[in-house]
Structure formats: structure tokens, C-alpha cells
């Protein structure tokens, strides 16, 4: 052995008498009982050496050593007969005679230690027995028994010492199992306590700091860091740090960068025995004063929440498998606590966001319970109706803002709104008794399938209605003026056209072709002006509500042939080709013949205007359309002309509007044709739609009922 003190000489034992044998058996029983009753592993070592030191057994110099597997040293656990020996006395690896028992797991006897190879002088003379301590087939330590006399031990001693060592080994195994079980119970309790504490707080900054503090305490480490994962930037952000030699809060780590970046990328925990020798360390941590690092990802399933790292600053302390196991047990719980806090924070911010929307909304908003009592209202409600929230809460809403005249309407809105969204316009009463025109939107409030109440929005439209009435009055006056002027203009214009035709005939008979050409221009201009006036008159009548439907039954084929005949010169003028797609038996329809004809002429004229050397296709079809009460007639005009952008199509059917400002000067027209087409189609219970692509042409489709009723006028 390597101790420095000389052992006292052991007396020689005479032939054992029967009395000595009884004493010896009693001592062995006390030894066995003491080892069996040991409270923990340390008590096993003490019970073994103290029991063997019994006077009846005669072993005066004993020591129990435990193997430090990390260093290979033997560390003294208990001793007898070696005064002034340190409690944690170490025999370094490769030194002393007891090394042999550790190497092969066998008992070794040295009769004369002074003659033994590898002996470290500590006794002037004497002998030594080294007995291995083995648990689960693995040598964990050694029992060393010494004597000052050479050849002091025999077969009986070997049996006693081996039995004592074996019993102690069994007891050590049990103690370790019990200690492991207790440790695991303590760990689980600590984890449960940790999670209880973490779950009790939902404020994210405090939760993050608590996660780190708990990890440091639980693992018994110097310090550490916690980082959360930002999905948008694909990086970690350090949000809490403790005792790592720098303030790392706010540090951003890419996936794979440093210890936490590494575990975040791999989704696996990591132990770094010597951080400054680790090639994966981040340059941002070049100045930290840590020795070893252990890190783990914070995961919920496989979804990354963040990462945690713990550190030892003491070079003599390194992380082991048990530390890693404990951290991997802690990490998922920490991830859940962080995620809960983040969700709570997000929910709270969302709640605050919507509360601010409601508070600052210019629209009056009020919420009701299932009994139609007011739960809350915003400042706009107070301004609109004159009731403060304190005055409104708990009262029936319809009692507050309805009169006898409007009560039935308001109650019906409220009743329906508990089942589905309701929109309408009505009049409500203010606190001062005055009335306000409002647009009402009410929606049910449903949480987890349960209807808890409703929310109603009131928009003051008094000024809007007044402006609408004024606009309608102005528009009506405009329409009446245009209708009157158009009517007054048509009479002299017809006279001009008629006289121009007569003059043209007389000029031609007089053999003056030059004058005839000029007169023809007058007639053409007059007819164009008359068409413009007719369009204005039609639009004015429509807007004034004076346009009527003249319903009759007519053959579709006859109508199409008439329209094609009329349009063919215009089609050929631009070198276009006209295709007519007409069913063999198109049948008849009951509608306003004049207006259907005008619709087709307008669409074909529009196609001819914007198509050159292309194809124009007129298609007629009968379709079933329940929305129109049965059969519908589809009128479609497609061209391969200029086409339009979506922006151009948005204003296509507005009166006096064309696709572009330059269109009028380049192609002519008033911009009324398509507007009238839509109005005529709608008067007959149908509508017109358009599909177009710039540079590829346009397709206009009109659908009207096959049988138009007078109710549609």
C-alpha cells in the first residue's frame, strides 16, 4: 500500500482453542449482521472493516477502497488501524500491490511485501491480502488487509476475508440499487416539482429564466443558457444565461453553430468534455470560462422549440451518462412549459389586438348574452346612441334603442342573429329620443360549438342615405333632361337626314358626284348622331325607370339571320370572318325582340370594332338554369381581337366608359353600347359576363330566360 505510516506488529496466534472458536464465530456473526444491516454503501464499507477488526478475528490493519473508473485511482472509503489517513486518500493507478486484484478480480496474497515486485515501501516487513469487491460481475474496489509479520495469513483467513468481501459486495449492490431507486424517485419528484413551478407561471420571460434556474439546480452545474427557435429566421436566440463568463442574452445562433445550434440541427443531446478543444464551438463564445458542456434540444414531438445548454467550469467535473439522462428527461417538460407560455403570450397579444380594434373602431359594437342583455359596448356605441357602458350593461338592447314602430323589426334581427349572421338597414333610437339610420350586422358568438351570445355592429349611414337621396334626385333630373333633350333633338335630326338623302339624289341626277359625296358625309354624320341620341335616350329611360318590356314570342333562327345580314358589311369591312353556331332546332323564346336584337347588334358591333383580319363567332344555345326558372337562352359572341386586361374589364359596363381613354378617338363609339346591353339583359332577368385576355380576344356571354315574364320589368 501507499500509506506512509508503519503498521503495528500483529501478535502471533496460538492454536485455536474451543473458546476462541466460539468467540470467532460470534465475531463472524456480528460481521455478517453488521453488513446486512448497513443503511447505505458507505455504511457497508464501515461495517466490513469494523467487523473484521474484531479482537476475536485479529485483523488490525484494514482498508476498503473504491475504484474511480474515470481516473483508475483507488479511493479510500473506510479504514481501521491506519491513524491520520485522509478520508479520501487516493492510491493512483498502477501503484501498490492491490492493483492486481483490480486487474484480474482474484484474491492476491503477498507473504513478504518487501520481496514483491511493484511494492511501494510502507512497512519494514510484513504481509498483505488483497480481496476484490465485485458487483454484477464487475470489480468495483478492493479490501486490503495487512500485517506487520511476514507469512501472517493462511487458508482460513482467505476464506473469512473472501466471505466478508462477497457479503459486502452483495450489500453494496443492494445499497446501490436502493440508492438508484431513491435517486430516481427524488429525480421524478424534482421534475414534478419543477414542472409544477413552471406551469404555475405563464409569463414567457419568467418561464425562460425559471427553466434555466431549475436545470442548473437539478443537475448541480455551474450555469447554462436557454435559447428559443425563431422559425422565420431559422435560428436560435439566447433568451436566458447564467454563469458562463459573459452576458449572452440576445446572441443569435444559426442551426449547427455552437453546442445549442448543433443539438437544434441534429435533434439529439450532446456532451462536450472539453469545450475549448471542441472544433464545433462558436466564435461568439471564444471568451467564455467553461470547461465542459452538455446541451439538449427542446422538442415537442419533432418540432423544435429551442435548446438548452449546461456547463461545468471546474476541470475536475465532467458530464456523464446520468447527467445526460436527467437532462433529456427535463428538456421535454421545459419545452412544453416554454411553448405554453409562448401560446399564452400570443393569445394575450391577440386578445389585446382585438380589444384595441373594438375600442378604436369607428363602428358601434355591442355584445349580448343569451338573454339579449348587454355585456359590453365600445366608445363608438356610446357616441352613437348616447348610453355609457355602465348604463347599457345588463339591459336588453332592444329596450335601449328601439321604439314601438321599430321593435318588431329589431327583435326579429336579434332572434335570427343567434343562429346566423344577419345584415340589414333600419332606424334606431338614441338616448335623447332622436333617431339615426344605421346599417346593422349581427353575428352569433360560438365557442366550442356552444352559442354564448351575439355581437352587433351599427354603422351610422344617415349622411350616406342623405347623399344617396340627393344623388338619386340629381340623377333623375339628369335622366329627365337627357330624355327631353334627346327627344327634342331627334325631330330636327331626322329632318336633316331626310333632306340630305333628297339632296343627294338630286345632286346625283344633276351629274355632280363631288357634291354627292359631301352630302353623303352629312347623312352619315347625321345617322351616327341619331344613334348616339337613341342610346342616350334608352339609357335615360332605363335610369328613370321608364323603360318597358314589350314581350312577344319569336323564332330565334329568324332573329339570328336578320342580325347576321345587318352586321355582315361591318364584319367584312375589317376583313373578319363570321361563324354562326346555331342548333338545328333553336326554337323560340318569349322576350322583348327589340332588346334581344339590340343586345346581339351591340356585341357583334363591339367585336367588329376591335378585331381585324380575325374570326368572330356567334353562338346560340338552350340550357337548363334553375335560377331562371327552367330554360335559359345563351347568346355568346367571341372574337380574336385586341382583348383586355382585368383592370379594363372592371369598368367595361360603365356608362360612357371604354377599355382605355384612347379607344374613343381610335375606334369611335360612345361607351354606351355595353352598358345598355347589361341593362337590357338584367331587365329581362339575365346578365352579361366577359372573359378576355390581352392580345388573344374576348368572349361576351348573355344569359336570359327562354320565357321572360312581365314581372321582370
Amino acid at each position: 500500500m501507499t500509506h506512509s505510516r508503519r503498521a503495528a506488529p500483529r501478535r502471533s496466534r496460538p492454536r485455536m482453542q474451543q473458546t476462541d472458536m466460539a468467540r470467532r464465530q460470534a465475531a463472524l456473526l456480528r460481521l455478517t449482521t453488521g453488513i446486512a444491516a448497513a443503511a447505505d454503501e458507505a455504511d457497508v464499507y464501515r461495517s466490513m472493516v469494523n467487523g473484521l477488526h474484531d479482537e476475536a478475528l485479529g485483523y488490525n490493519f484494514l482498508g476498503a477502497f473504491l475504484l474511480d473508473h474515470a481516473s483508475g485511482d483507488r479511493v479510500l472509503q473506510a479504514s481501521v488501524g491506519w491513524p491520520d489517513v485522509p478520508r479520501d486518500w487516493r492510491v493512483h493507478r498502477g501503484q501498490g500491490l492491490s492493483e492486481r486484484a483490480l486487474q484480474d478480480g482474484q484474491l492476491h496474497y503477498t507473504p513478504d511485501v518487501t520481496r514483491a515486485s511493484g511494492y511501494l515501501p510502507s512497512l519494514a516487513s510484513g504481509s498483505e491480502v488483497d480481496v476484490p469487491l465485485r458487483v454484477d460481475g464487475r470489480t468495483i474496489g478492493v479490501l486490503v488487509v495487512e500485517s506487520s509479520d511476514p507469512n501472517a495469513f493462511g487458508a482460513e483467513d482467505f476464506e473469512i476475508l473472501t466471505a466478508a468481501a462477497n457479503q459486502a459486495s452483495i450489500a453494496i449492490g443492494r445499497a446501490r440499487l436502493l440508492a438508484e431507486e431513491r435517486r430516481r424517485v427524488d429525480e421524478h419528484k424534482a421534475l414534478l416539482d419543477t414542472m409544477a413551478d413552471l406551469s404555475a407561471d405563464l409569463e414567457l420571460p419568467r418561464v425562460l429564466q425559471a427553466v434555466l434556474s431549475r436545470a442548473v439546480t437539478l443537475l448541480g452545474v455551474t450555469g447554462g443558457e436557454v435559447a428559443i427557435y425563431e422559425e422565420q429566421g431559422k435560428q436560435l436566440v439566447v433568451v436566458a444565461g447564467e454563469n458562463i463568463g459573459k452576458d449572452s442574452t440576445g446572441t443569435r445562433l444559426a442551426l449547427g453553430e455552437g453546442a445549442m445550434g448543433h443539438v437544434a440541427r441534429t435533434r439529439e443531446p450532446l456532451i462536450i468534455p472539453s469545450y475549448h478543444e471542441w472544433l464545433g464551438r462558436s466564435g461568439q463564445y471564444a471568451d467564455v470560462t467553461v470547461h465542459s458542456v452538455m446541451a439538449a434540444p427542446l422538442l415537442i414531438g419533432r418540432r423544435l422549440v429551442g435548446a438548452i445548454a449546461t456547463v461545468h467550469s471546474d476541470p475536475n467535473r465532467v458530464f456523464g451518462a446520468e447527467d445526460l439522462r436527467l437532462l433529456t428527461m427535463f428538456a421535454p417538460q421545459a419545452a412544453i412549459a416554454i411553448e405554453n407560455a409562448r401560446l399564452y403570450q400570443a393569445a394575450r397579444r391577440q386578445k389585446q389586438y382585438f380589444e384595441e380594434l373594438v375600442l378604436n373602431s369607428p363602428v358601434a359594437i355591442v355584445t349580448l348574452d343569451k338573454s339579449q342583455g348587454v355585456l359590453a359596448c365600445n366608445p363608438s356605441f356610446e357616441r352613437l346612441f348616447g348610453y355609457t357602458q355602465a348604463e347599457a350593461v345588463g339591459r336588453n338592447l332592444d329596450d335601449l334603442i328601439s321604439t314601438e314602430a321599430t321593435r318588431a323589426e329589431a327583435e326579429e334581427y336579434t332572434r335570427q342573429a343567434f343562429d346566423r349572421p344577419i345584415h340589414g338597414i333600419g332606424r334606431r333610437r338614441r338616448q335623447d329620443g332622436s333617431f339615426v339610420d344605421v346599417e346593422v350586422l349581427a353575428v352569433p358568438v360560438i365557442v366550442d360549438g356552444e352559442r354564448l351570445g351575439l355581437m352587433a355592429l351599427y354603422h351610422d349611414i344617415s349622411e350616406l342615405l342623405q347623399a344617396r337621396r340627393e344623388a338619386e334626385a340629381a340623377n333623375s333630373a339628369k335622366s329627365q333632361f337627357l330624355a327631353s333633350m334627346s327627344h327634342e333633338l331627334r325631330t330636327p335630326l331626322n329632318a336633316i337626314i331626310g333632306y340630305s338623302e333628297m339632296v343627294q339624289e338630286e345632286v346625283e341626277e344633276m351629274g355632280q358626284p363631288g357634291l354627292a359625296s359631301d352630302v353623303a358625309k352629312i347623312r352619315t354624320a347625321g345617322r351616327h348622331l341619331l344613334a348616339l341620341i337613341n342610346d342616350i335616350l334608352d339609357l335615360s329611360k332605363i335610369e328613370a325607370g321608364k323603360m318597358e318590356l314589350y314581350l312577344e314570342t319569336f323564332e330565334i333562327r329568324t332573329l339570328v339571320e336578320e342580325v347576321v345580314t345587318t352586321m355582315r358589311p361591318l364584319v367584312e369591312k375589317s376583313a373578319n370572318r363570321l361563324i354562326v353556331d346555331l342548333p338545328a332546332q333553336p326554337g323560340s323564346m318569349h322576350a322583348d325582340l327589340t332588346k334581344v336584337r339590340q343586345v346581339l347588334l351591340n356585341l357583334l358591333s363591339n367585336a367588329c370594332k376591335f378585331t381585324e383580319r380575325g374570326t368572330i363567332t356567334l353562338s346560340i344555345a338552350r340550357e337548363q338554369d334553375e335560377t331562371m326558372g327552367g330554360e335559359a337562352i345563351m347568346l355568346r359572341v367571341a372574337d380574336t381581337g385586341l382583348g383586355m386586361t382585368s383592370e379594363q374589364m372592371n369598368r367595361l359596363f360603365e356608362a360612357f366608359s371604354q377599355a382605355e381613354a384612347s379607344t374613343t378617338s381610335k375606334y369611335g363609339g360612345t361607351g354606351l353600347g355595353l352598358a345598355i346591353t347589361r341593362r337590357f339583359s338584367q331587365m329581362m332577368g339575365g346578365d352579361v359576363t366577359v372573359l378576355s385576355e390581352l392580345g388573344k380576344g374576348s368572349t361576351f356571354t348573355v344569359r336570359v330566360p327562354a320565357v321572360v315574364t312581365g314581372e321582370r320589368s
Side-chain angles (χ1 to χ4, degrees):
M1 293 301 299
T2 58
H3 60 80
S4 61
R5 297 191 63 86
R6 180 182 176 89
R10 177 186 176 193
R11 62 179 175 81
S12 59
R13 293 180 292 177
R15 184 176 180 87
M16 191 173 298
Q17 303 296 323
Q18 190 167 359
T19 303
D20 294 334
M21 187 178 293
R23 292 175 59 213
R24 198 174 182 88
Q25 289 177 346
L28 291 173
L29 179 61
R30 287 193 295 273
L31 170 66
T32 303
T33 304
I35 292 174
D40 52 30
E41 184 173 347
D43 198 19
V44 172
Y45 297 121
R46 289 191 297 269
S47 298
M48 178 177 63
V49 298
N50 290 333
L52 290 170
H53 187 62
D54 193 291
E55 185 178 359
L57 300 177
Y59 304 116
N60 296 327
F61 309 104
L62 304 104
F65 292 83
L66 183 64
L67 176 64
D68 183 349
H69 291 281
S71 64
D73 296 344
R74 282 146 285 164
V75 184
L76 183 65
Q77 304 297 305
S79 66
V80 175
W82 296 332
D84 303 327
V85 174
R87 292 181 61 183
D88 58 349
W89 181 39
R90 286 178 173 263
V91 180
H92 296 298
R93 182 175 184 176
Q95 297 180 350
L97 297 177
S98 61
E99 176 82 8
R100 298 170 300 174
L102 292 175
Q103 293 295 328
D104 60 15
Q106 302 293 322
L107 181 145
H108 284 269
Y109 174 47
T110 308
D112 188 347
V113 296
T114 61
R115 297 177 180 272
S117 176
Y119 172 65
L120 295 177
S122 60
L123 298 172
S125 62
S127 51
E128 179 176 325
V129 179
D130 302 307
V131 188
L133 301 173
R134 296 176 59 82
V135 175
D136 295 331
R138 187 166 62 99
T139 302
I140 65 163
V142 62
L143 170 65
V144 178
V145 185
E146 293 183 337
S147 174
S148 298
D149 300 327
N151 301 304
F153 301 98
E156 184 180 356
D157 298 304
F158 302 154
E159 291 179 5
I160 292 173
L161 296 175
T162 299
N166 289 341
Q167 186 180 1
S169 295
I170 294 172
I172 291 169
R174 285 199 307 266
R176 288 187 173 185
L177 287 174
L178 182 60
E180 176 67 15
E181 188 64 29
R182 288 174 176 170
R183 185 175 64 80
R184 290 183 182 271
V185 170
D186 291 341
E187 286 177 0
H188 284 292
K189 184 177 183 304
L191 285 172
L192 289 174
D193 291 342
T194 297
M195 294 318 303
D197 291 344
L198 294 178
S199 301
D201 197 344
L202 290 174
E203 293 294 333
L204 184 58
R206 292 201 298 264
V207 169
L208 293 168
Q209 190 59 52
V211 165
L212 179 59
S213 299
R214 282 289 185 172
V216 169
T217 302
L218 196 63
L219 294 165
V221 296
T222 304
E225 290 180 312
V226 171
I228 59 175
Y229 179 61
E230 288 187 349
E231 178 68 34
Q232 186 174 0
K234 304 295 182 183
Q235 60 184 350
L236 295 170
V237 181
V238 178
V239 291
E242 185 176 325
N243 296 332
I244 66 165
K246 64 176 291 186
D247 183 7
S248 59
T249 304
T251 301
R252 294 180 176 271
L253 299 168
L255 294 183
E257 181 184 0
M260 289 193 293
H262 179 87
V263 300
R265 184 185 63 187
T266 63
R267 303 295 204 273
E268 297 292 338
L270 172 71
I271 291 178
I272 306 170
S274 180
Y275 183 72
H276 285 286
E277 296 178 0
W278 184 52
L279 298 179
R281 65 186 184 278
S282 170
Q284 300 186 79
Y285 290 82
D287 57 341
V288 297
T289 57
V290 300
H291 176 68
S292 56
V293 176
M294 179 173 62
L298 300 178
L299 302 171
I300 298 179
R302 293 295 294 175
R303 181 169 63 85
L304 183 65
V305 175
I308 185 170
T310 56
V311 303
H312 280 312
S313 297
D314 186 354
N316 295 317
R317 297 190 65 187
V318 294
F319 291 104
E322 286 300 310
D323 298 311
L324 191 63
R325 184 186 62 82
L326 190 57
L327 181 61
T328 54
M329 291 175 61
F330 173 79
Q333 308 303 320
I336 292 173
I338 292 172
E339 185 69 2
N340 287 341
R342 293 177 73 174
L343 291 173
Y344 172 77
Q345 185 181 60
R348 186 173 63 180
R349 291 187 62 180
Q350 189 176 43
K351 178 176 178 291
Q352 292 173 344
Y353 174 78
F354 284 110
E355 285 177 348
E356 288 298 315
L357 284 181
V358 171
L359 286 173
N360 297 307
S361 173
V363 177
I365 301 175
V366 60
T367 55
L368 309 180
D369 59 22
K370 291 191 289 187
S371 301
Q372 303 181 22
V374 175
L375 292 173
C377 60
N378 70 342
S380 292
F381 182 91
E382 297 178 355
R383 289 190 295 270
L384 180 61
F385 292 107
Y387 295 98
T388 66
Q389 180 160 275
E391 294 171 330
V393 170
R395 298 180 64 181
N396 184 284
L397 178 64
D398 293 331
D399 290 342
L400 290 176
I401 62 175
S402 298
T403 65
E404 291 299 324
T406 63
R407 183 64 181 255
E409 173 200 349
E411 288 182 344
E412 182 62 18
Y413 272 139
T414 304
R415 185 188 64 79
Q416 294 183 24
F418 277 99
D419 296 321
R420 57 184 176 86
I422 295 296
H423 176 263
I425 294 175
R427 176 165 286 193
R428 297 293 185 267
R429 182 186 62 186
R430 294 187 175 99
Q431 188 184 36
D432 61 7
S434 63
F435 292 90
V436 58
D437 293 308
V438 292
E439 181 184 14
V440 185
L441 176 63
V443 295
V445 177
I446 303 173
V447 179
D448 294 332
E450 181 183 0
R451 285 178 170 79
L452 302 180
L454 65 83
M455 179 175 66
L457 292 78
Y458 295 89
H459 181 213
D460 185 357
I461 59 171
S462 300
E463 293 183 0
L464 182 63
L465 290 180
Q466 180 61 30
R468 180 179 177 180
R469 286 191 290 268
E470 292 175 356
E472 288 175 346
N475 189 60
S476 177
K478 180 256 308 180
S479 297
Q480 291 177 6
F481 172 76
L482 289 175
S484 176
M485 289 299 298
S486 299
H487 182 75
E488 294 297 325
L489 287 171
R490 280 201 300 183
T491 300
L493 189 58
N494 281 323
I496 292 172
I497 294 171
Y499 281 117
S500 66
E501 292 175 348
M502 293 171 60
V503 171
Q504 185 180 4
E505 291 176 359
E506 291 179 0
V507 170
E508 289 175 349
E509 291 176 356
M510 294 169 62
Q512 297 182 0
L515 291 175
S517 176
D518 292 336
V519 174
K521 292 178 182 178
I522 296 173
R523 185 185 63 181
T524 300
R527 288 178 175 175
H528 178 73
L529 182 59
L530 181 61
L532 174 60
I533 292 172
N534 287 334
D535 285 345
I536 294 174
L537 184 60
D538 285 343
L539 186 63
S540 300
K541 285 182 177 180
I542 294 172
E543 292 181 346
K546 295 181 178 181
M547 180 66 73
E548 296 180 356
L549 292 176
Y550 298 94
L551 302 178
E552 59 183 301
T553 302
F554 55 89
E555 293 296 323
I556 297 175
R557 180 178 294 278
T558 302
L559 169 65
V560 172
E561 290 174 351
E562 178 186 339
V563 168
V564 169
T565 300
T566 304
M567 293 302 304
R568 193 167 296 279
L570 186 60
V571 172
E572 295 173 351
K573 181 180 178 182
S574 299
N576 291 315
R577 183 166 65 101
L578 178 62
I579 299 175
V580 180
D581 183 7
L582 190 65
Q585 299 294 329
S588 63
M589 65 183 299
H590 186 76
D592 190 318
L593 174 60
T594 301
K595 289 178 177 55
V596 175
R597 181 191 297 113
Q598 187 63 46
V599 165
L600 287 176
L601 290 172
N602 287 346
L603 294 180
L604 287 169
S605 177
N606 190 72
C608 291
K609 185 185 300 182
F610 299 105
T611 306
E612 291 185 5
R613 296 181 178 86
T615 301
I616 299 171
T617 304
L618 171 61
S619 304
I620 309 294
R622 304 182 78 92
E623 300 176 345
Q624 288 294 323
D625 192 333
E626 296 301 324
T627 62
M628 295 186 179
E631 278 192 327
I633 304 298
M634 185 273 293
L635 313 172
R636 178 171 292 155
V637 175
D639 64 64
T640 59
L642 298 179
M644 295 172 286
T645 65
S646 57
E647 183 181 356
Q648 292 171 338
M649 287 189 287
N650 288 336
R651 59 177 185 267
L652 193 62
F653 295 103
E654 297 176 5
F656 302 101
S657 175
Q658 294 186 328
E660 293 183 352
S662 61
T663 301
T664 300
S665 59
K666 186 173 182 180
Y667 297 100
T670 63
L672 292 175
L674 291 177
I676 292 172
T677 296
R678 167 160 281 183
R679 302 292 179 88
F680 281 176
S681 300
Q682 292 175 342
M683 285 181 65
M684 291 184 287
D687 205 351
V688 58
T689 59
V690 60
L691 294 174
S692 186
E693 186 174 352
L694 192 64
K696 294 186 178 181
S698 304
T699 299
F700 290 84
T701 303
V702 175
R703 282 186 174 84
V704 294
V707 178
V708 179
T709 64
E711 297 175 356
R712 301 179 185 275
S713 62

